[in-house]
Amino acid sequence: MKTSARELLGELLDPGSFESWDLPPIPVQASSAYRAELDVAAMKAGIDESVLTGAGMLRGRPVAVIACEFAFLAGSVGVAAAERIVSAVERATELGLPLLASPTSGGTRMQEGTVAFVQMVKIAGAVAVHRSAGYPYLVYLRNPTMGGVFASWGSLGHMTFAEPGALIGFLGPRVYKALYGRSFPEGVQTAENLYHSGVIDGVVPISVFRRIAHRALNVLCDGPQPLTEMDGDTRDFDNGVGILQAGHELRGPALQVGNDVPAWQSVLISRRADRPGIRELLRHATDRVPLSGTGQGESDRTVVHALARFRGQPCIVFGHDRAGQSPDQTMGPAALREARRAMHLAAELHVPLVLVIDTIGASLSREAEERGLAPEIARCLADLVTLDTPTVSVLLGQGSGGGALALLPADRVLAAANGWLAPLPPEGASAIVYRDTLHAPTMAARQGIRATELRSNGIVDRIVPEYPDAADEAVDFALRMVSAIAAEVADLTAKPLAELRAVRQLRYRRLGLPE
């Protein structure tokens, strides 16, 4: 059973809060037969066009909404419907409102031909202007969403979720069979398959999307909240190296920066299976909204992407997921394209970006090479150095190779005490220099991969201690790191963006040069 536009608005918005923005549909050229179809559609659907627009409240927050009505000529979009949509998008932009769109449509209206088809251009253009103004655009696809609607404003969301079981695709199964004489493969054009393929961010009922949208808008629309005393940090500058500590009691001997911990020991510690990773950090965040994939049909399960608040500081979080990695499952080009999606979202929505490095290395495979692994690393580096939003990079554990480097350039770089960064795993460096892996400890020591050495060389700004190993104090360590991240984000957010960008570019211009 299909969800009507009014049912969608009733479940999504606060009761009684919807106010229509709709004027009577503009007149379009119509034959007597088409005019009769429009009259019948209006009687059947109980509305005068295939879309409702207006404003309402979502858990007390004003939002603009656009909802298609499938009962009106299969939700098809012609000139009148397109004009209503564009007017609503433009009004949302003028008022500075986040926009929630829920298409359900067979596509553009065949009765109006090509002129209806090209309406998708002006709708997409209006959405692009709304997004470029920094206002969120969230999409909830209902069953079905097909054709030009899906291929335009249905696919432009900063985040996109869909109704369970929804048929979603470009060419409808009935049209495909008529054109090609065979049925379209089953299971392809489903919300669930598109989620697993990295096209959309999730599949949830409307009630859950309401909660997700609320959390997302908390992150994207509400500014940073003041750090409380418990959320702050104390900084002990010992030997010129900053040590970030959360304001809660810690137990056990500290792994201080002055300790002579061999690099190889840090490498082994970083590889412990029970070492806390990005997911443990996100467990101590609020307003979490997981995102998935590139939005362009690629997904890599070795990375995590989310909206969240760390101690009241809104951010977009992207990073390596140690739980999803193995020697047979390493990050590929799709992971880096997903990283660039995170970068683009953060810049467009003016939200700080937090990147978490914890990788055994990028994929070494024919597929990775052919799908552009190296160029994606290069694009990540270029994007981060010039990105128009505050950035924090966190060297949480292993930092092996180009996959780690791709997430490194930031306004602030934090490192766990046992975090490390190297062009290759020490075994790989040993294989190049000694033609064996037995000299890995020697190469780890020679290459300056430890957090302390990275700090001395200007690569890392702050070291977050472990007491003495993050795996032995997972909760305390995660809380300490979250507090450190929040403190840096709060500091960066208070600075002018032009200053941040200039300092960042100078920083990486001066890397490796004498002071």
Side-chain angles (χ1 to χ4, degrees):
M1 186 171 178
K2 294 180 175 62
T3 305
S4 72
R6 287 200 173 95
E7 289 170 337
L8 177 281
L9 296 174
E11 288 194 58
L12 183 62
L13 300 176
D14 298 347
S17 68
F18 177 70
E19 295 183 8
S20 176
W21 286 351
D22 295 335
L23 300 174
I26 63 170
V28 297
Q29 289 187 343
S31 65
S32 57
Y34 179 34
R35 177 58 57 194
E37 282 188 79
L38 292 172
D39 292 341
V40 170
M43 288 183 72
K44 178 182 177 182
I47 60 175
D48 58 5
E49 246 303 340
S50 62
V51 64
L52 296 177
T53 73
M57 305 296 283
L58 177 63
R59 294 195 174 187
R61 180 190 301 279
V63 296
V65 289
I66 298 171
C68 280
E69 175 53 71
F70 195 81
F72 192 106
L73 294 181
S76 58
V77 174
V79 173
E83 185 59 27
R84 180 171 287 183
I85 292 168
V86 169
S87 296
V89 176
E90 291 174 341
R91 187 168 178 178
T93 306
E94 181 182 351
L95 295 173
L97 292 177
L99 177 59
L100 279 60
S102 183
T104 174
S105 174
T108 59
R109 194 164 295 170
M110 294 298 105
Q111 296 90 330
E112 296 181 27
T114 300
V115 70
F117 178 53
V118 298
Q119 297 300 302
M120 301 307 104
V121 177
K122 77 178 186 184
I123 299 175
V127 170
V129 171
H130 183 81
R131 287 181 48 139
S132 66
Y135 303 126
Y137 177 59
L138 313 184
V139 174
Y140 183 72
L141 304 171
R142 298 182 356 258
N143 181 44
T145 302
M146 305 297 295
V149 170
F150 181 48
S152 57
W153 56 288
S155 292
L156 292 177
H158 287 114
M159 48 180 271
T160 304
F161 287 78
E163 193 174 41
L167 177 70
I168 301 169
F170 182 59
L171 189 62
R174 183 158 54 91
V175 177
Y176 181 91
K177 188 170 185 177
L179 291 175
Y180 299 105
R182 59 183 182 274
S183 298
F184 196 83
E186 290 188 11
V188 174
Q189 294 177 318
T190 66
E192 289 76 8
N193 184 56
L194 294 185
Y195 164 62
H196 290 299
S197 300
V199 177
I200 62 176
D201 291 305
V203 180
V204 296
I206 298 169
S207 59
V208 176
F209 178 71
R210 171 179 159 88
R211 296 200 298 271
I212 289 172
H214 170 66
R215 291 178 188 171
L217 296 179
N218 284 347
V219 174
L220 301 176
C221 297
D222 295 343
Q225 300 166 357
L227 291 172
T228 66
E229 183 177 348
M230 288 295 291
D231 293 329
D233 66 89
T234 60
R235 301 192 182 192
D236 171 27
F237 292 92
D238 185 9
N239 296 326
V241 181
I243 303 289
L244 294 179
Q245 301 182 17
H248 58 273
E249 182 181 359
L250 300 169
R251 299 173 181 171
L255 178 61
Q256 299 289 3
V257 295
N259 291 359
D260 188 19
V261 178
W264 183 241
Q265 181 181 338
S266 284
V267 171
L268 296 179
I269 288 172
S270 75
R271 291 174 175 174
R272 281 186 57 169
D274 55 349
R275 184 175 176 84
I278 188 173
R279 292 183 183 274
E280 282 68 35
L281 300 187
L282 285 170
R283 287 193 183 103
H284 299 289
T286 57
D287 290 321
R288 297 183 303 273
V289 177
L291 303 178
S292 179
T294 62
Q296 300 175 27
E298 293 181 290
S299 181
D300 191 315
R301 300 306 174 187
T302 68
V303 294
V304 168
H305 187 188
L307 311 181
R309 280 183 179 270
F310 285 147
R311 301 290 186 267
Q313 305 302 303
C315 54
I316 290 176
V317 183
F318 178 87
H320 305 117
D321 180 14
R322 62 186 298 113
Q325 299 177 66
S326 70
D328 298 323
Q329 183 69 36
T330 51
M331 63 176 296
L336 296 166
R337 283 189 270 274
E338 190 168 345
R340 293 180 65 224
R341 177 193 177 194
M343 297 171 199
H344 180 75
L345 286 178
E348 186 167 86
L349 292 165
H350 312 300
V351 178
L353 175 66
V354 174
L355 299 162
V356 178
I357 300 169
D358 197 2
T359 178
I360 63 177
S363 177
L364 301 175
S365 67
R366 173 178 176 174
E367 181 185 24
E369 296 287 357
E370 292 178 345
R371 294 178 63 193
L373 178 66
E376 285 302 330
I377 293 172
R379 294 183 189 108
C380 283
L381 296 175
D383 287 354
L384 282 175
V385 171
T386 59
L387 201 66
D388 283 332
T389 199
T391 54
V392 175
S393 183
V394 181
L395 184 55
L396 195 59
Q398 300 185 76
S400 181
L405 187 68
L407 305 189
L408 179 71
D411 297 308
R412 295 285 188 279
V413 180
L414 307 180
N418 286 304
W420 56 274
L421 179 69
L424 285 172
E427 295 91 336
S430 176
I432 290 174
V433 175
Y434 294 100
R435 300 184 183 278
D436 63 40
T437 60
L438 302 178
H439 294 79
T442 301
M443 293 306 300
R446 284 184 185 173
Q447 290 192 303
I449 71 174
R450 293 184 304 171
T452 50
E453 293 159 324
L454 298 173
R455 173 62 179 83
S456 298
N457 288 323
I459 298 169
V460 162
D461 298 297
R462 302 283 184 264
I463 297 175
V464 178
E466 303 179 34
Y467 289 79
D469 181 340
D472 294 326
E473 46 137 12
V475 173
D476 278 347
F477 173 77
L479 288 170
R480 194 179 312 127
M481 183 62 83
V482 165
S483 291
I485 294 169
E488 296 296 346
V489 169
D491 182 58
L492 292 169
T493 303
K495 298 180 184 299
L497 185 57
E499 176 186 325
L500 285 180
R501 191 170 56 245
V503 171
R504 186 195 313 146
Q505 292 177 6
L506 180 61
R507 168 190 183 145
Y508 291 102
R509 172 65 180 85
R510 297 283 305 167
L511 265 182
L513 299 180
E515 292 293 336

